[in-house]
Amino acid sequence: MPLKPRPAPDALGHRKLFGVLGPSTNTVVQPDFDDLRVRGVTNHYSRIVVEDAQAISDETFMAGTLEISRNTLDAVRGVLTCNPDYLVMGMSAVTFYGGAEGAEKWRANIEAEAGLKLCTGSQSLIEAFGAYGGIKKIVVLSPYYPSANAHVAHFMSDHGIEVVRDTCLRCPSWTAIAQVPTSELRDELQKLDGDDVDAIVQVGTNLSMIRLAAAAELYLGKPVIAINTATYWNALRQNGITDQVPGFGRLMEDF
């Protein structure tokens, strides 16, 4: 459970201390969240310790993500010792599993253990769709395997969003996700886009997409939502922090 209230504001995180939960193999979400950070808010990364899973099939990919899920509570207990105000999940795949009901149960379990609210990537995308307005059909870019993308589509369907098409990069390990070059991601965005969709969504927090997504919004002329941007934006807004940060797309600049 959280520690007792602080007798005075934290010197750097005098507005909020965010406890960030992320896989130990993830090298992107921590610097991404720090780049999105605003004055008076600090991020305190707690590693969900996992092996660098070799994902060579649907089955091994799913097994690796479930290991992360099982180990999340240990990371929660660790970060609670700095007495954070709020938790932010820096891994997205498991937050889609089981559709809307499964995702809510998973989040509620973490919140019950922590005694704090938790921001997840899946719910943050739904909040982002509401902010943009008019988003009903999307395409999805992920580093996952098809089984995990199917969970994303199920979750979206439960919220009235249709996944028209998707791309699975089938990254061979957790660390390999961070090694996908920007040029490849840019090409995938172009392939996915079409007049039949309202927005492009990227999932998988170890893909470096917060700057590319912002640029792609300009040349594609529609919302391009990176999961790390949506998650951190939602964490700020859920805590009443409305600061706008330029350079990371319309979510951070306009909403």
Side-chain angles (χ1 to χ4, degrees), residues 63-132:
T65 60
L66 292 175
E67 180 189 10
I68 294 172
S69 181
R70 289 191 298 271
N71 294 347
T72 297
L73 286 178
D74 287 338
V76 170
R77 297 180 189 109
V79 80
L80 287 181
T81 60
C82 78
N83 198 17
D85 300 297
Y86 189 76
L87 298 180
V88 186
M89 185 61 180
M91 190 272 190
S92 60
V94 298
T95 72
F96 293 102
Y97 291 178
E101 182 178 357
E104 183 56 35
K105 285 182 178 178
W106 191 90
R107 183 173 63 173
N109 181 54
I110 302 298
E111 291 180 341
E113 176 71 20
L116 293 173
K117 291 294 185 181
L118 171 69
C119 182
T120 63
S122 58
Q123 188 58 40
S124 295
L125 289 174
I126 301 305
E127 298 292 339
F129 297 158
Y132 279 99

Side-chain angles (χ1 to χ4, degrees), residues 98-202:
E101 182 178 357
E104 183 56 35
K105 285 182 178 178
W106 191 90
R107 183 173 63 173
N109 181 54
I110 302 298
E111 291 180 341
E113 176 71 20
L116 293 173
K117 291 294 185 181
L118 171 69
C119 182
T120 63
S122 58
Q123 188 58 40
S124 295
L125 289 174
I126 301 305
E127 298 292 339
F129 297 158
Y132 279 99
I135 295 177
K136 293 297 182 183
K137 295 184 177 183
I138 66 171
V139 291
V140 174
L141 168 60
S142 91
Y144 305 158
Y145 276 69
S147 55
N149 271 29
H151 281 284
V152 175
H154 177 196
F155 175 87
M156 293 297 175
S157 178
D158 283 353
H159 287 277
I161 304 295
E162 179 187 353
V163 176
V164 175
R165 54 186 166 272
D166 66 307
T167 292
C168 304
L169 297 179
R170 294 177 170 87
C171 292
S173 69
W174 296 151
T175 54
I177 296 172
Q179 298 161 15
V180 179
T182 298
S183 58
E184 180 179 344
L185 296 172
R186 184 181 61 241
D187 291 345
E188 292 296 341
L189 291 179
Q190 294 278 16
K191 293 174 186 176
L192 282 167
D193 188 30
D195 293 338
D196 55 342
V197 297
D198 306 311
I200 299 173
V201 172
Q202 171 259 320

